[in-house]
Amino acid sequence: MTQPQGALLVGSVNYDDAETTIRTAAELLGTRLRRIPDGEVGKRFHWIMFQPDVIGEAEGIERTGDEPIPFPAGIDARGLRIAEGVDAASIEMPPLGYAAAAIESYAVFERLRAEGTVPAGVRFQVSLPTPLAVISSFFHGDDRAAIEPVYTAAILRELDEILEAIPHEDLAVQWDVASEMGIIERAAGYGAVMEAWWPGDPFDGLVSRLAALVDAVPADVEVGVHLCYGDAGEKHFFEPRDAANLVRYANAVVAASARPLTWLHLPVPIDHDDEAYFAPLTGLAPVGELYLGLVHREDGVEGAARRVAAATPFATEFGVATECGIGRAPAGSTEGILRTHAEVAAAW
């Protein structure tokens, strides 16, 4: 087996706090990592599910349904709508919580680096959802087009606050891209077909939106894209037969972006250790670093090794990752997953 080089932690990690995440990742993976996230702890544990509670505080936004839908960590999972008669352009979004969390966790990262726990040169990774994910998940009908510029501006303000507070040479920003793949695949995501709300070819709109987010990250800050098919209950909303649509979308975004991608992450479902899944990678446009999400807790090193062997004829240089974040992995399984990364991948 050709040994992959480097590992990527996609974002969420099933620990209670940022210090445990950063310290454990540094100790177990060390020089295999070029960047470390804070694990998306607290209310970010389930990706974007806390956003309705935040957005719902804005004047002109209402929650749908009369009763809260309880979700872990005290989250109310009800959807959102623009109140009747309200001009979406007049809505003032509150802080979304991403910048505040990043700034708080960076202080922990900085302290652990000063102690020598985090190796010099490793960057602090901040993962952000694309606006499309939040809009498509929690708004419906005409509200989607109306709220899109408002929420997009809000997430870019979060990015600007992060860029202002964290030294650029220490920072890496990852855009988490899941709902976009659902639209491309015409997937039935959690009960409804995922659809675009803009005119013209949906694919063109998906490309231009993600390319704009990539370009919003300054050239002296690393930027990555994590393509995803979701992981609710450790299951995808759509099971791809191969990586063809992942490659097609990634190539189009790379071509449309003014700046290069520092890294690209592509998921590999657990059932795919066949060469046919990986064959489209021969057509992938060059990126700084490619990570294949072929580590799965269920079959550990042995399963990852099979997928590495199947991928190697089509992608000779790549690192390893899980297919999505591991924040929702069963309690007690996190260290084992991290050790699998360390056993499969070589250091940089």
Side-chain angles (χ1 to χ4, degrees):
M1 180 187 74
T2 299
Q3 189 170 26
Q5 185 175 38
L8 175 77
L9 296 181
V10 176
S12 64
V13 178
N14 196 6
Y15 287 128
D16 291 336
D17 57 79
E19 177 159 356
T20 302
T21 299
I22 296 168
R23 185 182 294 278
T24 306
E27 290 174 351
L28 294 183
L29 293 174
T31 53
R32 291 171 181 82
L33 295 175
R34 285 184 162 171
R35 50 200 72 89
I36 298 178
D38 71 352
E40 298 176 14
V41 294
K43 290 199 172 184
R44 292 174 295 138
F45 90 107
H46 208 285
W47 197 37
I48 58 174
M49 292 304 297
F50 76 104
Q51 281 294 279
D53 282 337
V54 175
I55 302 167
E57 293 297 315
E59 187 173 347
I61 298 288
E62 298 176 341
R63 304 302 296 270
T64 57
D66 296 326
E67 296 295 329
I69 300 175
F71 207 75
I75 291 170
D76 177 2
R78 281 180 297 167
L80 301 158
R81 64 184 171 218
I82 300 171
E84 188 173 351
V86 171
D87 178 5
S90 69
I91 295 173
E92 295 184 9
M93 286 282 175
L96 302 180
Y98 294 105
I103 293 166
E104 180 180 353
S105 293
Y106 175 69
V108 176
F109 175 91
E110 209 174 15
R111 172 168 55 80
L112 292 176
R113 185 178 57 189
E115 291 177 5
T117 300
V118 173
V122 172
R123 293 192 181 219
F124 178 64
Q125 178 181 321
V126 176
S127 300
L128 297 172
T130 63
L132 185 141
V134 173
I135 295 160
S136 65
S137 296
F138 303 118
F139 289 90
H140 300 279
D142 293 341
D143 282 358
R144 288 175 166 177
I147 204 66
E148 182 176 14
V150 179
Y151 187 81
T152 299
I155 200 77
L156 291 176
R157 284 195 297 273
E158 298 286 308
L159 174 62
D160 286 344
E161 190 175 342
I162 293 165
L163 294 168
E164 179 68 25
I166 298 177
H168 288 197
E169 65 271 18
D170 283 351
L171 182 61
V173 174
Q174 175 177 280
W175 292 107
D176 292 339
V177 185
S179 300
E180 289 85 347
M181 294 310 305
I183 293 172
I184 289 169
E185 302 282 9
R186 295 288 296 159
Y190 314 125
V193 174
M194 299 183 183
E195 295 180 321
W197 53 84
W198 52 87
D201 187 339
F203 186 79
D204 293 342
L206 295 171
V207 170
S208 62
R209 283 164 170 79
L210 183 52
L213 295 173
V214 169
D215 288 344
V217 180
D220 59 347
V221 174
E222 293 186 341
V223 65
V225 166
H226 156 49
L227 298 185
C228 186
Y229 284 100
D231 77 331
E234 295 188 290
K235 297 289 185 182
H236 292 315
F237 55 70
F238 180 86
E239 293 293 344
R241 291 184 302 176
D242 57 40
N245 277 332
L246 293 164
V247 169
R248 176 184 174 228
Y249 187 36
N251 284 352
V253 171
V254 167
S257 302
R259 63 155 296 168
L261 281 184
T262 312
W263 78 93
L264 172 68
H265 168 276
L266 303 180
V268 181
I270 192 169
D271 293 335
H272 283 296
D273 56 9
D274 55 301
E275 290 192 351
Y277 182 85
F278 299 99
L281 295 179
T282 58
L284 183 65
V287 293
E289 301 164 29
L290 172 64
Y291 294 93
L292 299 181
L294 47 74
V295 171
H296 291 267
R297 69 171 182 84
E298 294 91 340
D299 58 12
V301 173
E302 187 272 333
R306 290 198 315 271
R307 296 179 200 100
V308 168
T312 298
F314 310 103
T316 55
E317 294 183 6
F318 60 89
V320 303
T322 49
E323 61 184 348
C324 196
I326 57 176
R328 278 77 65 192
S333 66
T334 304
E335 183 173 327
I337 296 169
L338 296 179
R339 289 191 183 278
T340 298
H341 288 72
E343 290 189 51
V344 172
W348 286 102

